[in-house]
Amino acid sequence: MAQNDEIVKHLMHAYAEAFAALSFGTHDVKVLETLDTEQQHVKVLRNDMTFKVLWNDETVLLHIEVQTEDSRDKPMPLRVLAYASQLYLRHELPVYSTVIYLSPNAGETDPGGSIYGNETWGLQHKYQVIRLADLDGESFLDSASVGLLPFTPLMKPPESMDTEEWLKKCVEKTVAAPVDTKTRGTLLFALTTFSSLVHDITFIQKIISEEMMQEFPFIEHLRQKGAREMAIKNIQAVLTKRFPQSNVQTIEQPLESIEDLDRLTELHLTAIDTPSVEDFLQALNGSEV
């Protein structure tokens, strides 16, 4: 789901150290830089998040993919291999990949790598598979990793605790997190979204009060992003219908660089009236000057 992707990337960017510690299984790792996730090849590949980190006194790349469900388009080992290969080629640094599965039944058959050939030739590539449903949730509630709190409802509760009690405890811990009101709202919004993968949404809404719901500034961010994406799709749809013989794909990247929703609305009207895709491109490029 696109909304899940956006929330996860926001949290990984804001709490890079927590995700690095989760991936390497140690807090003895330092995030040095967040890298551009777009990789140019025959087609554009975009991974979820890549960090340059210091691990075991060596500068390496940490590549993280987060999956709600199992990969459908391509097997996960092939996807991870493609991402890791491009990162290695581009940065010439060791690449360590982690795939985090959110849903309880996801990732059960992920082998964690690609292996073929023999000792003479072939390929062996391994990555780490983390299924949140297999993790001890209480240990993450007790840790200082605030950025991982939204994921705790997807983790394994204590044996003596039912799912509803567990969800309440996760919410209480997030409410009590030592962060400002805006950040707490974002964490609660993320927790609500991820919890709905395994818990009844009506029960979640009962736990989280109306006052808490009003502290979700990230909702507005998602609305703005969704409105931008819809505006761009509408422009492409108009031009594709009006000029079926033209290559409309050339406008996608310039449109993606425009943050102003009002400007995209103007360009939609331009697309309706423009005599050609080339004329639209001139208007588009003129808006970027």
Side-chain angles (χ1 to χ4, degrees):
M1 294 173 61
Q3 177 169 283
N4 285 357
D5 290 344
E6 184 68 15
I7 298 170
V8 167
K9 289 175 182 177
H10 175 82
L11 291 172
M12 281 198 289
H13 183 77
Y15 300 99
E17 300 283 352
F19 283 89
L22 175 64
S23 297
F24 286 109
T26 175
H27 288 283
D28 190 19
V29 55
K30 180 177 178 60
V31 175
L32 304 176
E33 183 182 355
T34 301
L35 301 181
D36 178 17
T37 59
E38 187 173 286
Q39 302 165 40
Q40 296 291 340
H41 191 44
V42 176
K43 66 178 288 188
V44 171
L45 300 176
R46 186 182 293 275
N47 60 66
D48 282 350
M49 193 66 73
T50 303
F51 303 106
K52 182 182 290 186
V53 305
L54 185 64
W55 179 55
N56 287 342
D57 296 323
E58 181 183 14
T59 300
V60 302
L61 300 186
L62 170 61
H63 154 230
I64 302 177
E65 289 297 306
V66 177
Q67 290 284 123
T68 301
E69 304 288 348
D70 290 319
S71 180
R72 293 173 183 165
D73 296 335
K74 289 287 184 182
M76 203 66 212
L78 297 184
R79 285 180 53 192
V80 176
L81 177 60
Y83 295 139
S85 299
Q86 287 300 307
L87 287 168
Y88 193 22
L89 181 65
R90 181 176 178 182
H91 298 280
E92 298 186 15
L93 288 171
V95 180
Y96 293 88
S97 298
T98 296
V99 180
I100 301 174
Y101 287 96
L102 304 184
S103 296
N105 298 324
E108 292 180 322
T109 60
D110 190 329
S114 305
I115 301 175
Y116 63 81
N118 53 42
E119 60 184 17
T120 303
W121 64 345
L123 173 109
Q124 180 171 338
H125 174 251
K126 294 183 179 180
Y127 56 90
Q128 182 172 197
V129 175
I130 296 178
R131 298 180 65 254
L132 294 187
D134 293 337
L135 300 182
D136 173 21
E138 198 158 38
S139 65
F140 285 89
L141 281 188
D142 294 338
S143 74
S145 301
V146 172
L148 297 178
L149 287 175
F151 300 93
T152 52
L154 304 177
M155 298 178 186
K156 190 163 48 178
E159 291 184 8
S160 60
M161 192 175 294
D162 62 33
T163 55
E164 290 191 355
E165 288 179 302
W166 173 240
L167 183 55
K168 286 181 181 178
K169 188 170 183 179
C170 294
V171 171
E172 289 170 359
K173 192 71 175 183
T174 304
V175 170
V179 295
D180 59 63
T181 300
K182 181 177 179 181
T183 301
R184 182 177 297 105
T186 299
L187 293 173
L188 283 169
F189 176 67
L191 183 146
T192 302
T193 303
F194 297 141
S195 295
S196 65
L197 295 173
V198 294
H199 298 283
D200 183 355
I201 188 65
T202 56
F203 180 72
I204 300 169
Q205 291 169 344
K206 287 179 182 177
I207 298 176
I208 299 181
S209 67
E210 285 293 326
E211 290 76 17
M212 294 179 193
M213 292 289 286
Q214 291 172 6
E215 295 177 0
F216 288 177
F218 201 67
I219 294 178
E220 185 59 30
H221 167 74
L222 290 179
R223 286 174 180 160
Q224 287 289 329
K225 181 175 172 48
R228 281 187 63 255
E229 290 175 348
M230 183 59 68
I232 291 170
K233 286 181 180 178
N234 288 341
I235 292 170
Q236 291 176 306
V238 168
L239 292 174
T240 299
K241 184 174 182 179
R242 293 192 61 211
F243 309 105
Q245 304 304 317
S246 298
N247 181 14
V248 177
Q249 294 301 317
T250 57
I251 71 169
E252 184 172 358
Q253 190 168 352
L255 286 174
E256 289 284 356
S257 67
I258 300 176
E259 296 291 336
D260 187 351
L261 187 57
D262 290 337
R263 181 53 188 158
L264 288 171
T265 302
E266 292 175 6
L267 288 170
H268 185 204
L269 297 175
T270 301
I272 295 173
D273 294 329
T274 188
S276 68
V277 173
E278 290 71 23
D279 285 301
F280 178 83
L281 276 170
Q282 287 185 3
L284 175 60
N285 292 332
S287 72
E288 297 174 342
V289 176

